[in-house]
Amino acid sequence: MPTTNQTDFSGQPDARGHFGRFGGMFVSETLMGPLRELREAYDRFIVDDTFKAELEADLRDYVGRPSSLYFARQLSQRCGGARIYLKREDLNHTGAHKINNTIGQALLAKRMGKTRIIAETGAGQHGVATATVAARLGLECVVYMGSVDIVRQEANVYRMRMLGAKVVAVESGSKTLKDALNEAMRDWVTNIDNTFYIIGTVAGPHPYPVMVREFQSVIGREARRQILQQAGQLPDALVACVGGGSNAIGLFHPFLDDTSVAMYGVEAAGEGLETGRHAAPLCAGTPGVLHGNRTYLMQDENGQIIETHSISAGLDYPGVGPEHAWLKESGRANYVSVTDQEALDAFHELTRCEGIIPALESSHALAYATRLAAEMNPDQVVLVNLSGRGDKDMHTVAGLDGIKI
Amino acid sequence: MSRISQRFEQLAAHNKTALIPFITAGDPDPEVTVPLMHAMVAAGGSIIELGVPFSDPMADGPVIQRANERALKHNTSLRDVIGMVHRFRERDRDTPVVLMGYLNPIEALGYERFAEMAGAAGVDGVITVDIPPEEADDYLAALRAQRIDPIFLLAPTSDEQRIKRICDAAAGFVYYVSVKGTTGSARLAIGEVASKVFHIRKSTGLPVGVGFGIKDPESAQAVAQVADAVIVGSVLVNQIESLADQPDAIAPALSRSISQMRAAMDLI
């Protein structure tokens, strides 16, 4: 559906999923047929009125959309600069933005006649959001999760199992999110006839980056309308954390043609970019090919993927969605990074001054947003995607304080 | 004519099917690989397929995943693997060598640099699991410039149009993946394989190899009746794993397996 006011920024990708030199379809031959089938189904249903109506009703009545846009008065005052608004994705059913996408993909799976759903998960938020929609639609669900993450995110593992999903521990490689994705791909290639793979972020082979973007763009569409209503102006800056990058693309995409709006994607600097122990491929990585697309990666000089580190399991991924790689190279968005400690400080700050406990992932965005806002004027607006709530992180944060819960 | 095409012609002249054993380079350690390549040739391997270790081998089952991990413990890089082929060529100038791996290590080296190094070392063909022809223009140009055969996979899910497109881009031979799944995953259904290979032959004059799911002399023999090449990997890599702590025993064990398959294939 081309519209007349589209620029190159929002007109990506091309027909084969390229965002500039990034993206594409780099998969084994067995998956090329199933990916074409998925692309055709997606193209058909995304413009289908019945599908759109069902998706909209689910987002409203089941997820609880629209999520609110909240003016963080106390936080803004403390920064002494721009006004900070929070897009409250933490208020969604299951506690994060992830469900916007799993609802959409599961409806598609149903329409394609698939009876079995698989997913990968890091922090467990996408796994929970997938298990949730699978329970509701009566679909078999298998979630792959690195055995290291299973230990870090015990509560979410239990939630998925209660919802009826089978959680499979992945013991290969670094035993984290990237290996869970490998394992889910292996499952898919083996069970393609009855299985739909719900990827949780804007990565993977085409059409996943564009499909997940479409389902997550509800965030930016709502936020754009809400900020115009509440602040009477477009924001001066958008800030969102970037692991794979789905909450950031969801917020950024509907604003891409608003050239006055600056965009900041915040990666996990872990223990500091200079230590090498981080998860910031856009800030400190190089282009390569992994998980079906060309993008920025954390890799060594021989092209082997290296282990990442972040306090937040949801950002602990060595790649990033190809559209972010392109937005970086085209200069439309800026990519910055925040350390574990800075994210933790922001986590505590928001909790104490606004009474909102953010996810550690979203705390990275908050840390950068407060730094940015302090350098701006009170007539300016910073809009932050509060992508998830911090309940799942109690264990981690308490552990750092020496408390076992 | 490439070394691969020559080898297929020689075999055809004797009414024989090619046997292509696969091992992962650097597994269980880099010193073992070149002697193992020679041993596999002596036991009846017609073409040697050498796996290039990668940290994220998405198309491989657990057996070859672990082989990749063992090789990477010794930091076996793509450059190292090319070096192994170079050493192999000091004693064997006839047996074709095909590298099989994933795209990212090749991207890191650069397509042209990779092709130059591989060509100079005596690599004859390259199978890159995760590059479909749609994304392969620069890759193909770099390989062709060095007269290296780009070998592509065909799958049970490939329709007629894709088979045609892939065969047009390929050289040396095409590799039919006989099962939906990862390497070493399941037993193949020989009837389905036969009918697919029949279809593939309508699109190409290239030899057709079949791999994934060939586990013993019986399945090698069955595949040899319908294909031009039998590719066997996981069963050999399994033997390497079980003998990883006694490297001297690996070559005799692999030789035995390969010669048994060769003998069964030669009965037809």
Side-chain angles (χ1 to χ4, degrees), chain A residues 60-116:
Chain A
R60 182 185 65 231
D61 304 330
Y62 189 68
V63 178
R65 303 206 70 90
S67 67
S68 62
L69 184 72
Y70 170 71
F71 173 46
R73 189 180 306 276
Q74 288 70 234
L75 187 67
S76 304
Q77 275 167 3
R78 284 168 70 112
C79 295
R83 286 168 288 152
I84 300 172
Y85 284 79
L86 306 178
K87 179 60 174 165
R88 298 290 308 276
E89 292 299 300
D90 60 317
L91 296 177
N92 292 341
H93 180 42
T94 70
H97 71 290
K98 291 292 186 189
I99 195 143
N100 302 330
N101 169 49
T102 59
I103 288 262
Q105 287 199 49
L107 288 180
L108 197 55
K110 265 284 217 218
R111 288 217 172 22
M112 290 174 73
K114 305 290 183 183
T115 55
R116 184 172 174 270

Side-chain angles (χ1 to χ4, degrees), chain B residues 95-124:
Chain B
T95 308
V97 175
V98 171
L99 301 187
M100 179 167 189
Y102 294 81
L103 185 58
N104 201 49
I106 297 177
E107 291 247 330
L109 202 52
Y111 294 161
E112 283 178 18
R113 182 95 189 93
F114 162 69
E116 282 166 18
M117 289 173 69
V123 169
D124 303 291

Side-chain angles (χ1 to χ4, degrees), chain A residues 16 18 24-26 28-30 36 172-173 178 182 186 189-190 192-193 288-289 291 294 299 303-305, chain B residues 53-58 60 65 69 104 107 111 129-130 132 134-135 153 155 157-159 162 166 180-181:
Chain A
R16 288 191 289 124
H18 297 107
M25 298 172 86
F26 294 89
S28 64
E29 174 58 21
T30 313
R36 197 191 60 193
S172 57
K178 80 171 175 73
N182 292 336
R186 291 179 187 123
V189 88
T190 309
I192 35 185
D193 295 334
V289 170
H291 293 154
R294 184 177 282 118
Q299 58 181 325
Q304 307 296 348
I305 307 306
Chain B
F54 183 48
S55 53
D56 294 78
M58 285 193 312
D60 285 298
Q65 285 172 45
E69 288 177 17
N104 201 49
E107 291 247 330
Y111 294 161
V129 176
D130 53 351
E134 287 88 337
E135 302 281 359
L153 304 182
T157 51
S158 309
D159 61 21
R162 283 200 67 74
I166 290 166
K180 291 177 192 164

Side-chain angles (χ1 to χ4, degrees), chain A residues 9-10 213 216-221 223-224 237-242 245-258 261-266 282 323-324 327-328 332-336 365 383-385:
Chain A
F9 291 121
S10 58
R213 177 185 81 190
Q216 290 295 0
S217 288
V218 67
I219 300 172
R221 288 195 298 268
R224 195 173 183 285
L238 304 175
V239 184
C241 65
V242 177
S246 68
N247 90 80
I249 284 291
L251 178 65
F252 292 176
H253 195 258
F255 290 93
L256 283 176
D257 295 332
D258 299 313
V261 179
M263 298 177 181
Y264 297 89
V266 186
L282 288 169
E323 188 163 10
H324 286 296
L327 289 174
K328 171 194 160 81
R332 179 64 187 92
N334 309 286
Y335 293 89
V336 296
L383 198 163
V384 185
N385 198 1

Side-chain angles (χ1 to χ4, degrees), chain A residues 43-55:
Chain A
D43 287 345
R44 184 161 77 248
F45 288 116
I46 203 64
V47 293
D48 176 83
D49 288 335
T50 322
F51 182 88
K52 286 197 292 188
E54 196 175 341
L55 177 61

Side-chain angles (χ1 to χ4, degrees), chain A residues 364-402:
Chain A
H364 286 73
L366 287 163
Y368 189 78
T370 50
R371 203 192 301 167
L372 185 68
E375 293 162 6
M376 295 165 69
N377 304 317
D379 61 345
Q380 291 182 296
V381 166
V382 173
L383 198 163
V384 185
N385 198 1
L386 192 64
S387 56
R389 69 175 88 121
D391 305 34
K392 68 179 176 60
D393 297 313
M394 290 301 102
H395 194 73
T396 305
V397 176
L400 289 169
D401 289 336

